[in-house]
Amino acid sequence: MTKSIGTRELADWLDGTLQATRFKDYCPNGLQVEGRERTGHIITGVTASEALLRAAIERNADAVLVHHGWFWKNEDPRVRGPRRTRLALTLAHGLNLFAYHLPLDAHPQLGNNAQLARVLGLEPERVDGAPRTCGPDGLVWLGAAPGVATLGDLARRIAERLGREPLVVGDAQHPLRRVAWCTGAAQGMLGDAIDAGVDAYITGEASEPTVHLARETGTGFIGAGHHATERYGIQALGEAVARQFGIRVDFIDIDNPV
């Protein structure tokens, strides 16, 4: 018989591990849609898109665990169009939908920032064993990029390890001593990174004012891709679930160029 766990027990473990209640987020974290009472097979992915849901259904999964879930603040709450399709698929097939946004970004071992550091070979600064951070909720990590001398070197490493060319603002020969990073759409925290005294900041996206701020302060900026920088935390979380409960967890990467 395939091993399974009570869905409520799983939800409690995830909430506790990620300290979900600690964050004032843009969406509800945790079990967003309740399905089957027991979970034995989980599909993880970055976003709870229709494509990911259909892949989970095809594989007879009991739950979907993602970084980007549903019910974002200021969204149109009406259930129609793509929202209706996603919700109908989830309910019709008894899927549990778990989503963790900021709690997954911030976790010191499993989180997106921690896992991006691992993939890119970044070395976080530590204070009493914890990563040194800045910005709201300590979401921006501070550290160094050993083996990387310039902004251009860092951009080349990112392209190689993430499999896509990043957006780079700044002189490729700009020397690097200290860097900061925050995955996803964290371009608005560039100012916090600058105030912390870094030479370059890595995130997923850029907005129009980002370029001017980077240029005018002489701070290197790298937009490495929202999806590309957030593929790794959800994989680490899924692997932790599999170790903890001995159930099947599979990651599916739905390609996204953004």
Side-chain angles (χ1 to χ4, degrees):
M1 181 179 293
T2 304
K3 188 170 183 179
S4 66
I5 181 175
T7 297
R8 276 291 163 191
E9 182 182 351
L10 175 60
D12 290 343
W13 185 87
L14 287 166
D15 287 351
T17 298
L18 297 176
Q19 297 183 299
T21 59
R22 179 188 138 205
F23 297 86
K24 185 178 181 181
D25 211 337
Y26 315 105
C27 59
N29 289 297
L31 182 59
Q32 291 191 335
V33 178
E34 188 172 4
R36 298 166 193 166
E37 293 184 357
R38 298 193 65 81
T39 294
H41 182 197
I42 300 173
I43 293 297
T44 63
V46 177
T47 299
S49 63
E50 180 183 341
L52 186 69
L53 295 172
R54 290 194 182 280
I57 292 164
E58 181 180 336
R59 290 161 176 77
N60 296 313
D62 304 301
V64 173
L65 171 61
V66 297
H67 178 49
H68 299 137
W70 301 340
F71 313 117
W72 299 90
K73 289 181 182 176
N74 300 320
E75 270 190 336
D76 184 342
R78 290 174 290 183
V79 180
R80 61 182 191 176
R83 172 178 286 200
R84 178 194 178 281
T85 301
R86 292 178 182 181
L87 188 56
L89 284 170
T90 304
L91 293 173
H93 293 274
L95 287 174
N96 293 291
L97 173 62
F98 294 93
Y100 293 91
H101 185 230
L102 295 184
L104 184 58
D105 287 323
H107 193 277
Q109 288 85 37
L110 305 175
N112 284 321
N113 284 335
Q115 293 299 313
L116 185 65
R118 175 186 62 79
V119 171
L120 297 184
L122 306 176
E123 186 175 282
E125 297 175 5
R126 301 283 176 181
V127 180
D128 297 327
R132 185 186 296 275
T133 63
C134 67
D137 287 317
L139 288 170
V140 177
W141 285 35
L142 303 167
V148 171
T150 67
L151 181 65
D153 292 337
L154 180 58
R156 283 187 286 275
R157 179 185 287 185
I158 289 172
E160 175 186 321
R161 298 193 182 181
L162 298 189
R164 57 163 287 161
E165 290 294 326
L167 168 69
V168 181
V169 179
D171 181 358
Q173 299 306 313
H174 184 60
L176 299 185
R177 293 169 295 276
R178 196 168 188 234
V179 299
W181 63 96
C182 185
T183 66
Q187 63 269 37
M189 299 180 196
L190 173 60
D192 297 292
I194 292 169
D195 290 343
V198 303
D199 302 299
Y201 179 56
I202 306 163
T203 187
E205 299 184 19
S207 297
E208 197 274 343
T210 307
V211 174
H212 302 296
L213 183 59
R215 286 174 177 168
E216 291 168 13
T217 60
T219 305
F221 175 87
I222 296 181
H226 194 139
H227 181 88
T229 58
E230 296 196 325
R231 287 185 297 218
Y232 306 102
I234 198 67
Q235 293 182 62
L237 180 60
E239 290 164 4
V241 169
R243 288 193 301 269
Q244 178 71 21
F245 299 109
I247 61 177
R248 180 180 172 186
V249 181
D250 298 316
F251 172 73
I252 296 179
D253 190 18
I254 305 295
D255 182 58
N256 187 332
V258 172

